[in-house]
Amino acid sequence: DAKTTQPTSMDCAEGRAANLPCNHSTISGNEYVYWYRQIHSQGPQYIIHGLKNNETNEMASLIITEDRKSSTLILPHATLRDTAVYYCIVYNYGQNFVFGPGTRLSVLP
Amino acid sequence: NAGVMQNPRHLVRRRGQEARLRCSPMKGHSHVYWYRQLPEEGLKFMVYLQKENIIDESGMPKERFSAEFPKEGPSILRIQQVVRGDSAAYFCASSPPWSGGPGEQFFGPGTRLTVL
């Protein structure tokens, strides 16, 4: 079973920030939070990961709460091409990725 | 640096035939993972392999399914005597050897298996 819970679906207006929440209340100290997305039926695409600190890359920002029990993926300026299923995964080396149902993000024109 | 390669991209088999799915990991990656995605569902882990070793096969069905990652060549996921319920997208991912961090997995484009 996935160690994360996410909303089933979200809408976001094009050009606006998309904020995707994830709860992972049972995360252990050495586990990372990973985000992937799957556009249509393509292979999952890595977005970002973090352990404790907030992280930012060219695709997104990841905000992790101080107690590490939840996090938020932020797409700062969503485009139509960001429409996808977004998966939040708790993971460490040697484990297997456990994918939940994810959040289906629809970016609307 | 080419990404994870999978072939064929689409495979059609009749019930009772064998299906062989191939995965070439990214250069320098020695770990391979196989996942299955049924229509309208999330990905489910099947097996984790390193070169010539099966590390974790807890997600593999007990019968008809096998996987290998030989010293040379791609990883192979083999499904014998396919049934209609095997119709799905099969994704392969690879990751590098441990280097102090968790090591994200990079996914291939998948093989879509259709069993008639």
Side-chain angles (χ1 to χ4, degrees):
Chain A
D1 290 339
K3 295 183 180 180
T4 62
T5 55
Q6 300 176 250
T8 302
S9 63
M10 293 181 64
D11 291 340
C12 176
E14 188 178 17
R16 299 283 191 153
N19 298 292
L20 290 86
C22 179
N23 288 322
H24 31 79
S25 57
T26 61
I27 191 171
S28 62
N30 58 355
E31 288 181 319
Y32 289 71
V33 179
Y34 272 76
W35 283 84
Y36 279 74
R37 71 181 182 184
Q38 188 174 25
I39 297 173
H40 194 44
S41 51
Q42 299 176 19
Q45 177 189 21
Y46 166 80
I47 301 173
I48 199 167
H49 74 278
L51 183 63
K52 297 182 200 174
N53 300 322
N54 299 336
E55 301 288 344
T56 296
N57 62 21
E58 65 278 4
M59 287 183 70
S61 294
L62 175 60
I63 308 297
I64 302 174
T65 57
E66 194 169 341
D67 63 7
R68 302 213 320 126
K69 292 186 177 181
S70 65
S71 60
T72 301
L73 177 74
I74 301 172
L75 307 178
H77 305 286
T79 71
L80 298 178
R81 287 177 293 182
D82 292 321
T83 292
V85 179
Y86 287 77
Y87 297 101
C88 170
I89 301 166
V90 166
Y91 171 72
N92 198 4
Y93 183 80
Q95 296 177 358
N96 311 307
F97 275 179
V98 178
F99 287 83
T103 295
R104 187 173 297 276
L105 175 68
S106 298
V107 180
L108 307 174
Chain B
N1 187 10
V4 178
M5 311 276 284
Q6 290 189 249
N7 67 81
R9 296 291 305 277
H10 300 273
L11 182 61
V12 179
R13 285 287 179 266
R14 296 190 181 280
R15 282 179 295 170
Q17 292 184 319
E18 178 179 286
R20 281 185 179 240
L21 289 63
R22 295 175 193 77
C23 169
S24 296
M26 289 179 68
K27 186 176 181 181
H29 286 195
S30 55
H31 300 190
V32 166
Y33 311 78
W34 285 94
Y35 296 82
R36 176 167 65 176
Q37 186 173 33
L38 297 172
E40 304 303 322
E41 294 187 12
L43 283 78
K44 302 294 184 191
F45 166 77
M46 299 181 74
V47 63
Y48 163 32
L49 309 106
Q50 294 180 20
K51 285 283 188 182
E52 300 184 282
N53 284 305
I54 297 175
I55 306 302
D56 183 349
E57 56 182 348
S58 58
M60 287 279 270
K62 293 289 185 280
E63 298 177 345
R64 302 187 298 108
F65 285 72
S66 63
E68 63 176 9
F69 188 16
K71 187 176 179 182
E72 301 290 337
S75 174
I76 306 287
L77 179 67
R78 182 182 178 206
I79 311 173
Q80 295 178 288
Q81 299 175 317
V82 295
V83 300
R84 288 218 174 107
D86 297 332
S87 295
Y90 292 82
F91 291 97
C92 166
S94 72
S95 66
W98 187 77
S99 58
E104 60 263 32
Q105 296 180 18
F106 296 86
F107 285 80
T111 294
R112 274 139 194 90
L113 172 66
T114 301
V115 179
L116 301 178

